Amino acid sequence: MYELRLLCPEDRVDILAEALDALDALSVSVEDADAHTEAEQALFGEPGMPPPKEGWQRSRVIALFPDEAVAREAAALLPLQDFFAGCTVLEVAALPEQDWVRLTQSQFDPVEITPEFWIVPTWHEPPAQARQVIRLDPGLAFGTGTHPTTRMCLRWTATHPVAGQRVLDYGCGSGILAIGAARFSAGEIDAVDIDPAAVRATQDNAQANAVALRAGLPDAARGEYDTVLANILATPLKVLAPLLCAHVKPGGHLVLAGILERQAEELQAAYAPYLALAVSDRMDGWILMTGRRP
């Protein structure tokens, strides 16, 4: 396969990507052309905040083509178009042969939650000190144990007594939090998500870890639970406040993640009519907020 590399300003990224797609590019990716320099820019996006831009002030657009002839034809046709003004063809280059499976696997090492609790991909052996292990490979659903929000939720589960409890993982993604609860002997576990792919991933991961849980769409959450875990994002967590708190039994725990440090007061205000939230963990700018229902 061959890569066509282009340089373009931010306002041409979208139309250039559409043109490359029309020219039979297999994929199109966009990078900051000034990455790793003082001019590097960060693009962020989250519900309730301004959406991320299509690209950077100086964007490097990389299109993948099945063969050299098609890539060079695209490189010849694009400069003839009016919308290409301000853009530059950098090069057409052969993509080196790689073992993509091995490359992907090399990017995911075992993740320590506590010294004795680890997330371990199936191609790794668990560390010698691991007493509890979740086997989980990267997949379509969110939650591999590498993100701070996931790690903080799992750390909370590992350090609080959930044995025998009824637990709800709301917005389960890969099911990692529900599986973590099972590893620490939770009793009845429900895992729900709005995405059917996440439900399937949770079922598959539960089977791979030989744990029992029920996975389904949100209406599968039934009644009150001793512990409710929700690792989503701040804006949906605020909207879900009445629903999530209704699922927490009196004296039960609510554990929320996906929250940036600056969003703590927003979440406390949203949940104040139901329970008092406090910050119980911090990692890399993210926080874990927990509360007990009166």
Side-chain angles (χ1 to χ4, degrees):
M1 290 190 284
Y2 283 76
E3 285 184 340
L4 167 59
R5 292 174 170 263
L6 308 162
L7 186 67
C8 75
E10 176 190 316
D11 62 355
R12 301 301 169 91
V13 168
D14 197 34
I15 190 169
L16 193 55
E18 291 179 1
L20 287 163
D21 182 59
L23 290 168
D24 297 326
L26 299 175
S27 67
V28 179
S29 59
V30 185
E31 301 175 351
D32 185 357
D34 295 315
H36 310 299
T37 72
E38 292 184 357
E40 181 176 8
Q41 292 179 289
L43 300 184
F44 299 100
E46 183 183 347
M49 297 187 67
K53 299 177 182 179
E54 295 295 335
W56 292 265
Q57 289 181 4
R58 288 184 356 110
S59 294
R60 184 184 299 109
V61 178
I62 304 169
L64 185 65
F65 289 92
D67 56 59
E68 184 177 9
V70 180
R72 293 201 178 279
E73 182 180 16
L77 288 173
L78 286 172
L80 303 177
Q81 313 307 312
D82 292 340
F83 61 76
F84 200 74
C87 304
T88 305
V89 175
L90 296 177
E91 65 174 337
V92 173
L95 189 66
E97 289 288 338
Q98 294 203 58
D99 185 336
W100 294 105
V101 172
R102 185 175 298 276
L103 178 62
T104 300
Q105 290 179 346
S106 70
Q107 297 171 352
F108 291 91
D109 291 324
V111 177
E112 179 182 349
I113 305 303
T114 71
E116 296 185 344
F117 180 27
W118 290 72
I119 312 301
V120 184
T122 55
W123 53 82
H124 282 284
E125 288 298 318
Q129 68 269 35
R131 297 291 177 267
Q132 293 286 359
V133 171
I134 296 177
R135 286 290 196 176
L136 195 70
D137 295 341
L140 294 177
F142 175 81
T144 62
T146 59
H147 196 275
T149 59
T150 308
R151 293 169 67 186
M152 288 190 292
C153 286
L154 290 170
R155 188 157 60 198
W156 187 95
T157 301
T159 55
H160 290 76
V162 296
Q165 289 190 358
R166 192 161 188 256
V167 174
L168 172 64
D169 178 2
Y170 198 97
C172 58
S174 66
I176 190 171
L177 302 186
I179 295 168
R183 279 285 179 263
F184 288 91
S185 303
E188 186 179 348
I189 305 168
D190 288 334
V192 301
D193 202 289
I194 61 173
D195 185 354
V199 174
R200 290 192 296 272
T202 296
Q203 293 168 336
D204 292 343
N205 288 328
Q207 184 176 11
N209 283 276
V211 300
L213 56 80
R214 283 187 297 267
L217 298 176
D219 58 5
R222 301 165 295 107
E224 296 179 338
Y225 297 81
D226 299 283
T227 296
V228 175
L229 304 159
N231 181 15
I232 313 176
L233 281 173
T235 297
L237 284 176
K238 287 189 289 186
V239 174
L240 290 168
L243 184 151
L244 292 177
C245 291
H247 280 306
V248 183
K249 67 182 290 188
H253 289 276
L254 178 65
V255 181
L256 305 179
I259 307 163
L260 296 169
E261 288 183 337
R262 60 177 171 76
Q263 297 169 326
E265 292 185 3
E266 298 174 40
L267 268 294
Q268 287 171 328
Y271 282 79
Y274 315 101
L275 50 78
L277 284 180
V279 177
S280 60
D281 203 353
R282 286 181 167 85
M283 185 181 292
D284 297 340
W286 298 89
I287 56 174
L288 185 77
M289 303 193 75
T290 60
R292 297 191 71 171
R293 182 177 167 187

